[in-house]
Each structure stands twice: as structure tokens, then as C-alpha cells.
Amino acid sequence: MRLDRTSRSATATGQIGRELLAAVADADALLVRSATKVDADVLAAANRLKVIARAGVGLDNVDVRQATVSGVMVVNAPTSNIISAAELAVGLLLAAARHIEPASTALKGGEWKRSKYTGTELYDKTVGIVGLGKIGVLVAQRLSAFGMKVIAYDPYVQAGRAAQLGVRLVSLEELSSASDFISVHLPKTPETIGLIGEDQLARCKPTVIIVNAARGGIVDEHALYVAIKEGRVAGAGLDVFANEPCTDSPLFELDSVVATPHLGASTDEAQEKAGIAVARSVRLALSGELVPDAVNVQGGVIAEDVRPGIPLTEKLGRIFTALAGEVAQQLDVEVRGEITEYDVRVLELAALKGVFVDVVEETVSYVNAPLLAAERGLAVRLITEPESPDHRNLVTLRGTLADGTQISVSGTLIGIAHRERLVEVNGYDVDLEPTAHLAFFTYKDRPGMVGAIGRVLGDASINIAGMQVARDHRGGLALVALTVDSAIPATVLDEISTQMDARTARVVEV
């Protein structure tokens, strides 16, 4: 595990880049801040890497797509700095409204200019919040306390949710024309770059003050400079810039612009929260668990009632593939019972991980399992049903092979200890603990078959831990499912299959 403390950009070129490539070769986890660029070269050199942790919010320096292809989890600390960032946005707004920076500079230079720096009250003014996410909500709450009217633009927030916060949702055009102050709180995406540009600035009041403490480039800096110079915008408070570090900008020449060097997360409290958050995430990732803050795992927040089902579902995936003997064309992950009250998407990921872990050479993780399914033409569907007649909760993997054969396997958890039970295989009812070594045989129902299995395994000094026998009808097809204390060699499996004249014989090592 390595923690980056590099103070300047590290890429795959140069001395710092070479040192990074050497350092990650044997690393299981890589913890970075914003300075180190984790690109395809770094990921190619990190054969053991399981998780990249960004001790902060932004991920501009991490190639998330390549990490996903490589099966590497990417985590950050999305809530570590939200209070600090919100407070800085409010601070920039106040500083710009009251000309605090130029007034302070003038006074320190020996000039007393009270009349020159007459400012604007926040009370009873309208502030437009562009992006009503976690930070946007915090800013809205704080500015409401100043007696401001709060409107917001966010196409992904419902009007009812905004109303609960005392915020009125409007279009971006209405926000631009109605606001006395505008504060930006959006992620940087292709859609948001230049969102506050010439078109929106042309709609603004000439007294408006624009604040951007989110991401550089969302506000068009050239258009903003021209608008302030021409008197169409009164001023701005900026903590972020399109190209950073930024030490030379026309905006810095303007007294009505207060600027800081990307200080949104630069508080002792935010740094401590970020470090603790990513350390916890790395610990979870290295232990094989899903991480709620993982940005490239679509599993949702894992409820405590769902978590015990994750290893069971992964085992069901491995059993499914062993029974199938190939990759299915269609897979349904059916979840029934009380846990469907929660987000159970993680169980779909667990099933896919189990399906592929024994059939591909590369490391399979919750990150790249969906990609493996897509590459191999496996269509996956998650089905949830609150009704579960026979079990409190039940997970079933049901799939179709290329020749139309149907494969299914079901499992549940019982008791306070959440003991795993295998309860169905290809339509046969069983009741078996899915231990490390499992075997399944189908054959024509007739006497002596259980004894034959016992004799062959006994001769091979393999102890049977548990066994279940089921059949579709007397004299029809039967299934033997058993757990043993040690692996069954291929020669022993073949001997059992021959003596039973088995239709299928499969072993699973989970």
C-alpha cells in the first residue's frame, strides 16, 4: 500500500513517473491526492492493484475507465470536504459582495477608502444555486439563514425535494436573469463545461456576483472577464480554474474578483475526514467487500440486511457455472423476500463475479464483472419479488445455455448466524451447506447408486460431509448433491461417473 505525497504532477513520463511505476508494481492499493496522474501506464505496471483511493473528491487525475477494464476499484471521499467547500463558497460570496479583498489590500497599503468599497447586503436578495447536490444544499441552507431567497437549477432534482429544502426549482435561463448572486456546484462533465458562458451571462443583472467553488471550466473565464470589464456582471468569487495551477489570469487584474487557489477542501477537518474515509474504503476493498464510495461499481449503498447475502450469491454464481459447463447466454438473478425492500443490485454483481471467477484468466472483481458479461454476450437481468413462499429470503440464479438448456441454483440464509444453505439445483429440492468442496451427479434413479458413490470416495480417502438425494419421480432422473472434506480428483470423478452411468458429473471448489 502506498500513499502519494507528490507536490507536482506525476505522469508516466519523467523521474516521478518512473518512480511511481516502480512503486506500484507490488502494490495492492494506491492512495493518491490530486497531484499524481493514475493513467493506463500506471495501471499496466500495477499487476496486483485492487483499489485506487483518491483522498478527496475530484477524480480528474484517475483514468476511471481503464481502472474499470483492469478490474481495479476506484474510491474517493465524496463527503469529506462538503462542509469546507460550502463554507468557502459562502465566504467568496461575502468577500465579493463586500469588497473585502481590495479594501483589505488598500488599508494595508496605508489607504482609508470607506466610500470606494460600498458593498451589497445579502438580506432579501435572490441567490441562484446551480447544482442542488450535497454542497449546493449546504450552501442553500447557509444562505437562507442570511434571509436570502433561494432558487436553483438542477434537472436531476425533483421539485418536491427542492420545496422541502425551501428552494424553488427554475430553468437555467430564469436563474440567470433573476439572481443577484449565482453559486455553481456542479461536477465537471462534457455537458457542464462552459455552462455559465456568454449566453447565460448576457441574461444576468449587471449587479450579479458569480461564485465558482466547484470545478474550473464550468464558468467560461474569458466570457466572465469580458462581462465584468463591460459592466454586465458586477464581480466574482473564484476558487477553481480551467487550468490549474493558475497564477496568471486577466480576472486577477479586477478589483471586483476575489480569487483563491482551489482551497475548497483545504481545512484541517476536511483533510482528516478524507484520510479516514479512504482508509476505511481501502480496508473494505482489500478484504473483498464492496465499498459504498466506489465510483466504478454500480452496487448502490449496501444495507446491513443485504450484506450477508453477498458471499452466498457469489457461491451460487460459481455453482451455476460449474453446473452449466459453459458461459450462459442469459442469466436472471432473482431475489425474493424481505430484502427486496432495499437496493439489491449488489447481488447481481456478486452473481456475475461468481459466474466468471473460475472461467477467465484475469482477476474478476465487482468492478469488471459486468464488462466480462458484456464481452461474452451474457445478458443479465435482476428480478425482485417481495413474496417468498418457502423462505424468508431467496436468491436464485436461472440461466439459458446456447443449446436452450436451463440451469438454476437457489440459496438462502437461515438463523441469526445467517447460515448459508443450498436449497435448489436445476429444479430439485435440496438442503445442503455450500462448503468448499461440492459435487453434483445426475443419473437414472435406481438402487445402489448412493453406495457406489460412498465406496469410490471411501477408497480415495475422501470423507463425505453431507449428502442430499432428490428425484423428479420414481425411476426417473435423480440428483445427488454432496459436500466433502477434500477436493475430488478428476480420476475419482470419472470413476464415480462410470459406475453410476451418470448423465452429468460436476465438482465445484468454492
Side-chain angles (χ1 to χ4, degrees):
M1 185 185 297
R2 302 245 177 202
L3 175 63
D4 157 53
R5 295 188 182 275
T6 310
S7 60
R8 54 195 176 96
S9 180
T11 67
T13 60
Q15 179 62 28
I16 296 175
R18 288 191 293 273
E19 291 176 359
L20 178 61
L21 293 180
V24 299
D26 60 350
D28 296 298
L30 177 63
L31 279 73
V32 301
R33 298 197 68 80
S34 59
T36 298
K37 186 172 180 62
V38 184
D39 55 18
D41 291 336
V42 174
L43 288 160
N47 294 323
R48 293 176 49 183
L49 198 61
K50 298 179 180 65
V51 56
I52 299 165
R54 161 73 165 96
V57 179
L59 288 163
D60 298 345
N61 58 317
V62 178
D63 189 335
V64 177
R65 183 183 181 281
Q66 187 58 48
T68 302
V69 171
S70 302
V72 179
M73 188 180 294
V74 180
V75 303
N76 62 352
T79 62
S80 61
N81 72 343
I82 59 174
I83 293 176
S84 294
E87 289 179 352
L88 180 65
V90 174
L92 289 171
L93 190 148
L94 283 165
R98 299 304 300 271
H99 308 296
I100 290 174
E101 183 182 24
S104 175
T105 300
L107 184 57
K108 290 178 179 179
E111 299 178 282
W112 187 271
K113 295 185 174 181
R114 290 185 66 190
S115 59
K116 180 177 180 179
Y117 296 118
T118 300
T120 301
E121 282 188 352
L122 305 190
Y123 179 75
D124 209 30
K125 300 298 192 305
T126 298
V127 59
I129 308 294
V130 182
L132 201 59
K134 291 184 175 67
I135 297 175
V137 167
L138 292 176
V139 171
Q141 291 170 338
R142 282 151 178 75
L143 293 178
S144 293
F146 280 87
M148 301 191 78
K149 303 168 186 174
V150 184
I151 60 177
Y153 165 73
D154 194 321
Y156 302 105
V157 172
Q158 297 296 321
R161 167 61 177 158
Q164 290 175 344
L165 300 168
V167 178
R168 181 169 63 91
L169 284 182
V170 298
S171 67
L172 184 59
E173 290 72 21
E174 182 178 347
L175 182 144
S176 299
S177 60
S179 297
D180 300 297
F181 298 86
I182 296 174
S183 190
V184 177
H185 302 285
L186 291 170
K188 186 176 182 179
T189 67
E191 292 74 26
T192 62
I193 292 175
L195 184 68
I196 308 300
E198 179 56 39
D199 288 347
Q200 300 307 325
L201 294 174
R203 293 184 170 89
C204 290
K205 299 177 182 179
T207 54
V208 73
I209 290 173
I210 308 241
V211 173
N212 185 12
R215 281 286 177 262
I218 298 174
V219 176
D220 184 324
E221 292 165 22
H222 175 71
L224 178 62
Y225 171 77
V226 172
I228 295 175
K229 285 287 286 185
E230 294 179 354
R232 295 184 286 111
V233 169
L238 304 173
D239 183 50
V240 292
F241 304 90
N243 296 299
E244 297 181 358
C246 177
T247 57
D248 184 16
S249 169
L251 288 162
F252 297 166
E253 303 168 5
L254 306 175
D255 276 355
S256 57
V257 173
V258 56
T260 50
H262 205 143
L263 298 180
S266 296
T267 63
D268 291 338
E269 293 84 355
Q271 298 302 303
E272 182 178 2
K273 291 173 187 174
I276 292 172
V278 296
R280 287 172 175 164
S281 294
V282 166
R283 184 177 64 183
L284 288 172
L286 292 182
S287 65
E289 295 191 47
L290 274 178
V291 182
D293 292 333
V295 300
N296 58 342
V297 177
Q298 301 302 312
V301 176
I302 307 170
E304 286 302 315
D305 286 0
V306 175
R307 190 177 296 276
I310 296 174
L312 169 66
T313 306
E314 186 174 332
K315 288 180 182 178
L316 293 178
R318 298 180 73 172
I319 294 169
F320 177 91
T321 295
L323 294 171
E326 61 183 76
V327 175
Q329 290 190 333
Q330 168 73 41
L331 176 68
D332 288 344
V333 181
E334 302 176 4
V335 184
R336 294 177 175 272
E338 297 174 1
I339 58 171
T340 58
E341 297 176 7
Y342 306 100
D343 187 342
V344 294
R345 287 176 295 164
V346 64
L347 299 183
E348 179 182 342
L349 293 176
L352 285 177
K353 182 183 177 186
V355 162
F356 287 108
V357 73
D358 296 318
V359 298
V360 299
E361 293 183 359
E362 60 261 51
T363 300
V364 182
S365 70
Y366 295 112
V367 177
N368 65 354
L371 293 178
L372 294 172
E375 290 170 357
R376 287 157 177 78
L378 172 58
V380 187
R381 181 172 57 174
L382 177 65
I383 300 171
T384 60
E385 173 57 58
E387 296 297 324
S388 179
D390 299 321
H391 303 277
R392 184 175 181 182
N393 294 296
L394 182 71
V395 178
T396 299
L397 273 56
R398 194 184 313 280
T400 305
L401 308 186
D403 63 0
T405 301
Q406 299 282 320
I407 301 292
S408 67
V409 57
S410 301
T412 190
L413 300 169
I414 60 174
I416 298 176
H418 301 296
R419 297 196 308 274
E420 298 175 342
R421 306 300 293 183
L422 187 64
V423 296
E424 180 268 338
V425 175
N426 288 337
Y428 294 100
D429 292 331
V430 298
D431 185 5
L432 202 66
E433 182 183 1
T435 57
H437 310 289
L438 294 145
F440 302 91
F441 304 94
T442 56
Y443 59 97
K444 183 175 174 55
D445 181 35
R446 61 190 187 278
M449 294 300 99
V450 172
I453 295 172
R455 283 194 303 273
V456 176
L457 291 177
D459 291 343
S461 299
I462 298 172
N463 190 50
I464 297 174
M467 178 182 288
Q468 286 278 294
V469 181
R471 60 187 181 183
D472 52 10
H473 62 273
R474 183 174 181 179
L477 284 179
L479 168 79
V480 167
L482 66 151
T483 61
V484 292
D485 290 341
S486 55
I488 300 176
T491 54
V492 175
L493 184 69
D494 289 342
E495 185 177 352
I496 295 173
S497 182
T498 298
Q499 291 203 19
M500 298 178 65
D501 191 22
R503 302 286 182 91
T504 62
R506 299 281 190 265
V507 293
V508 188
E509 304 294 325
V510 296

